Amino acid sequence: MYQGWEESGYFQPTFDKDESFSIALPPPNVTGSLHMGHGFNNAIMDALTRYHRMDGDNTLWQPGTDHAGIATQMVVERRLEAQGIKRRDMTRADFIDKVWEWKEESGGNITSQIRRLGSSVDWSRERFTMDDGLSNAVKEVFVRLFDDGLIYRGKRLVNWDPKFQTALSDLEVENHDEKGSLWHFRYHFTDTELLTQDGKNYLVVATTRPETLLGDTAVAVNPSDERYAHLVGKTITLPITGRIVPIVADDYVEKNFGTGCVKITPAHDFNDYELGRRHSLPLINILDERANILPAMEVYPDLQTREPTLETTPSEYAGLERFAARKFLVEQAGEQGWLEDIEDYALKAPRAERGGTIVEPWLTDQWYVAVKELAKPAIDAVEDGSIEFVPAQYKNMYMAWMTDLQDWCISRQLWWGHRIPAWYDDATGEIYVARDEAEVRSKYNLSDDVKLRQDDDVLDTWFSSGLWTFSTLDWADVNADPRVMDTFHPTSVLVTGFDIIFFWVARMIMMTMHFVKNEDGTPQVPFKTVYVHGLVRDGNGQKNVKIKR
């Protein structure tokens, strides 16, 4: 029956009615199978679509799938490893060919399941985020944002997966309740005559990650904590490295938690990073991309400094894996007498959603979208009712996120995905951005003898999916039928779960309103209504998700 409907074109839209209705299917990842959450989501969309189609509206339910960067790469790598082949032993092109082969084998599973659900999507317009049309839209958006000064490359702290050696979005990091330890260490004053109020010549700091001691650049206390007021501005000489660091006062420190003293490691902790910025502290990176201790630690006086100075790592730590370094440091602290205490501690362990590796805050060069300018119209559109959240309570969640945005890290250290359209002249250090290398040479007046190297990174999957409502309607194709965009954009409603309001919904609104305009030049919204439904969870309260391991 369904095949007959599809072959008869019953799900294809018309363009001659007075009213139009459209929905963009949230693109399921191409990596696996649909779960109960997809069935729930599709049932809602199908009911809306069929109602409007029967009501006589021009109706389009736009289908498609997502290339799912890290998840897909993980699946293909495992398939190859089962054959005794490692990705690093292949060329990038050969590996990408293997991914496309796998996609052709397995990609039909998702679409066949959508058909089995009876979903009345228009299969004649099926899209994939790595299709030529959508890839061209991604390049167009990246280049224009860069030319507008809204994309830049900079050194920042990111969620880093040492296993896959890539940056992760917050959504790809899960905080697990685990049993750990809290280690208390004695940090002695540089001035041997300096004492605390209770007569000690050291402060006691506590940490769940002892190995980060190697990268400490300060100890912080609360400015209202009278116990330590006379110590602010004095210095500590760190154990192991012998580095002299200041004692600073900052409201971030809770004076009633522990001893009221906090070790500060700006290059390996997000909160410390922000505190470090407030106090102009240097950042010291102690880890390589595999989370092993560097033989020479990288010292950055600030984030504007491109090349660090190097500080030799104590030889007994150089090259150690982070947890081996932790064990060795604790043993050394005990032997040398500066280990005060060890206590059992319940902690939130940040693990990669896929692979389960402990995620490391890591200082690295990445590409970013400057979101402040993009956020303003996206906030206004919800405030003035151009976009309505249903239920209305989710407007508050959206606004809370949008009014406290950080620049968006969009680069990923993967091979599968949209490769960043940036080229480097290694001889000069210059970076050039254009749609392809030929355009780079024309745009920047570069001769053929200038050797260029394309950036190895790919874009965050959320970057391409953030263009979903208009890229799927052939926005970047100058030869496309203009009636499609004119009739079906903005889309009528987005049906989604609350967990991706920020990661997907907000970014779609920001991107669409910057690139798609109404006839009068005002920004066009991607959808008029956001219908937010609940999540399907398992017996342990965990949401249904895609491939994790």
Side-chain angles (χ1 to χ4, degrees):
M1 180 184 295
Y2 188 94
Q3 183 178 352
W5 294 343
E6 188 178 337
E7 291 174 349
S8 298
Y10 291 158
F11 304 151
Q12 294 178 21
T14 57
F15 295 93
D16 57 350
K17 307 298 193 302
D18 292 334
E19 300 292 331
S20 298
F21 178 85
S22 60
I23 293 182
L25 176 77
N29 285 0
V30 73
T31 48
S33 302
L34 298 184
H35 53 63
M36 290 290 290
H38 289 114
F40 178 38
N41 181 270
N42 275 41
I44 296 170
M45 288 185 285
D46 201 25
L48 290 169
T49 300
R50 289 177 182 273
Y51 172 84
H52 284 276
R53 189 182 290 121
M54 290 188 292
D55 203 35
D57 297 341
N58 299 314
T59 303
L60 171 65
W61 187 3
Q62 172 65 54
T65 49
D66 192 283
H67 66 280
I70 191 171
T72 298
Q73 181 160 317
M74 180 183 75
V75 169
V76 176
E77 282 193 45
R78 286 183 174 173
R79 280 173 53 115
L80 290 170
E81 286 173 0
Q83 303 168 31
I85 303 171
K86 291 187 177 296
R87 173 173 66 92
R88 295 292 180 182
D89 296 332
M90 305 173 68
T91 67
R92 182 177 187 138
D94 287 343
F95 178 77
I96 296 301
D97 287 343
K98 290 294 184 183
V99 178
W100 278 108
E101 288 177 15
W102 175 84
K103 191 264 180 184
E104 292 305 313
E105 293 174 14
S106 65
N109 183 46
I110 289 284
T111 55
S112 66
Q113 287 182 312
I114 294 174
R115 286 179 166 92
R116 287 173 61 193
L117 287 173
S119 300
S120 59
V121 301
D122 178 13
W123 290 109
S124 71
R125 295 195 51 81
E126 182 183 354
R127 298 291 184 264
F128 176 55
T129 49
M130 292 288 286
D131 285 346
D132 288 344
L134 274 67
S135 293
N136 289 337
V138 166
K139 287 187 282 190
E140 181 71 20
V141 164
F142 186 98
V143 172
R144 284 167 58 175
L145 285 174
F146 180 84
D147 290 344
D148 291 342
L150 297 177
I151 278 184
Y152 65 92
R153 185 167 173 81
K155 191 175 293 293
R156 299 287 188 276
L157 205 59
V158 300
N159 297 311
W160 185 259
D161 184 335
K163 180 179 180 180
F164 287 99
Q165 296 167 45
T166 182
L168 300 176
S169 72
D170 288 344
L171 193 63
E172 295 167 314
V173 179
E174 298 177 334
N175 289 310
H176 290 246
D177 291 320
E178 297 184 10
K179 294 179 180 179
S181 297
L182 189 65
W183 288 270
H184 300 255
F185 297 120
R186 297 175 181 175
Y187 278 16
H188 287 83
F189 302 123
T190 306
D191 181 351
T192 57
E193 297 182 359
L194 187 62
L195 300 174
T196 61
Q197 286 184 350
D198 56 357
K200 296 175 181 176
N201 65 344
Y202 58 83
L203 295 176
V204 175
V205 300
T207 180
T208 59
R209 299 160 65 216
E211 67 281 4
T212 62
L213 178 155
L214 298 171
D216 285 357
T217 59
V219 170
V221 298
N222 190 287
S224 66
D225 196 332
E226 296 179 357
R227 293 173 297 174
Y228 306 120
H230 68 293
L231 300 176
V232 174
K234 306 299 183 182
T235 61
I236 292 285
T237 299
L238 294 176
I240 301 178
T241 65
R243 186 184 306 126
I244 296 175
V245 302
I247 300 171
V248 301
D250 195 279
D251 289 328
Y252 162 71
V253 180
E254 299 178 33
K255 62 183 181 181
N256 295 321
F257 181 79
T259 63
C261 303
V262 180
K263 62 186 285 297
I264 303 300
T265 319
H268 293 284
D269 182 275
F270 290 104
N271 291 319
D272 291 4
Y273 172 82
E274 293 300 328
L275 187 149
R277 290 177 62 184
R278 292 193 291 273
H279 294 273
S280 301
L281 298 175
L283 302 94
I284 302 179
N285 178 37
I286 68 170
L287 298 174
D288 66 14
E289 69 277 5
R290 298 180 184 274
N292 299 326
I293 304 296
L294 289 166
M297 297 176 284
E298 300 169 341
V299 183
Y300 297 88
D302 52 54
L303 291 179
Q304 284 67 52
T305 302
R306 296 188 64 176
E307 294 299 325
T309 58
L310 299 180
E311 180 181 320
T312 302
T313 303
S315 59
E316 63 269 29
Y317 286 91
L320 286 182
E321 187 273 334
R322 56 181 166 166
F323 298 122
R326 175 181 299 181
K327 181 180 179 181
F328 185 76
L329 186 146
V330 172
E331 291 174 352
Q332 184 176 2
E335 292 170 359
Q336 296 179 353
W338 46 276
L339 176 61
E340 175 86 0
D341 190 21
I342 304 174
E343 63 176 296
D344 294 335
Y345 191 72
L347 51 78
K348 295 282 189 180
R351 293 190 176 275
E353 180 190 28
R354 297 177 177 89
T357 307
I358 291 287
V359 171
E360 191 71 41
W362 197 53
L363 193 64
T364 181
D365 290 307
Q366 302 288 341
W367 288 93
Y368 291 86
V369 175
V371 296
K372 184 175 180 181
E373 181 179 326
L374 300 175
K376 187 179 185 309
I379 291 171
D380 292 343
V382 174
E383 288 281 32
D384 66 21
S386 299
I387 298 174
E388 179 186 9
F389 278 85
V390 178
Q393 70 199 56
Y394 289 105
K395 172 183 174 181
N396 297 330
M397 180 183 289
Y398 172 85
M399 296 302 294
W401 274 321
M402 293 299 290
T403 54
D404 189 30
L405 281 181
Q406 302 295 318
D407 286 354
W408 173 17
C409 177
I410 56 171
S411 46
R412 298 291 182 266
Q413 290 63 53
L414 302 170
W415 282 0
W416 172 244
H418 296 102
R419 194 167 177 181
I420 290 176
W423 280 259
Y424 298 84
D425 180 348
D426 291 329
T428 64
E430 292 296 323
I431 303 175
Y432 306 106
V433 171
R435 293 159 187 82
D436 54 40
E437 185 175 334
E439 186 181 61
V440 166
R441 296 186 182 278
S442 172
K443 181 178 178 180
Y444 296 98
N445 298 313
L446 301 178
S447 63
D448 290 342
D449 60 356
V450 175
K451 187 176 181 180
L452 297 175
R453 171 181 60 85
Q454 187 175 357
D455 197 305
D456 289 326
D457 291 353
V458 301
L459 287 163
D460 177 12
T461 301
W462 295 105
F463 189 90
S464 52
S465 58
L467 320 180
W468 189 244
T469 64
F470 62 93
S471 65
T472 54
L473 300 182
D474 308 319
W475 170 81
D477 185 354
V478 295
N479 298 314
D481 184 347
R483 295 181 304 166
V484 178
M485 275 290 290
D486 292 345
T487 304
F488 296 114
H489 203 278
T491 60
S492 305
V493 60
L494 175 73
V495 180
T496 188
F498 68 82
D499 56 327
I500 54 174
I501 287 176
F502 171 64
F503 292 98
W504 191 41
V505 178
R507 288 165 177 171
M508 277 198 287
I509 297 173
M510 288 191 287
M511 291 294 217
T512 304
M513 295 189 73
H514 189 75
F515 286 102
V516 183
K517 307 298 180 184
N518 296 310
E519 289 184 0
D520 61 2
T522 57
Q524 190 173 113
V525 297
F527 28 70
K528 300 165 188 173
T529 301
V530 181
Y531 178 74
V532 183
H533 57 67
L535 303 181
V536 177
R537 298 184 183 273
D538 64 19
N540 296 316
Q542 299 297 308
K543 67 179 182 179
N544 283 171
V545 293
K546 303 162 280 291
I547 291 177
K548 281 190 172 189
R549 301 286 186 263

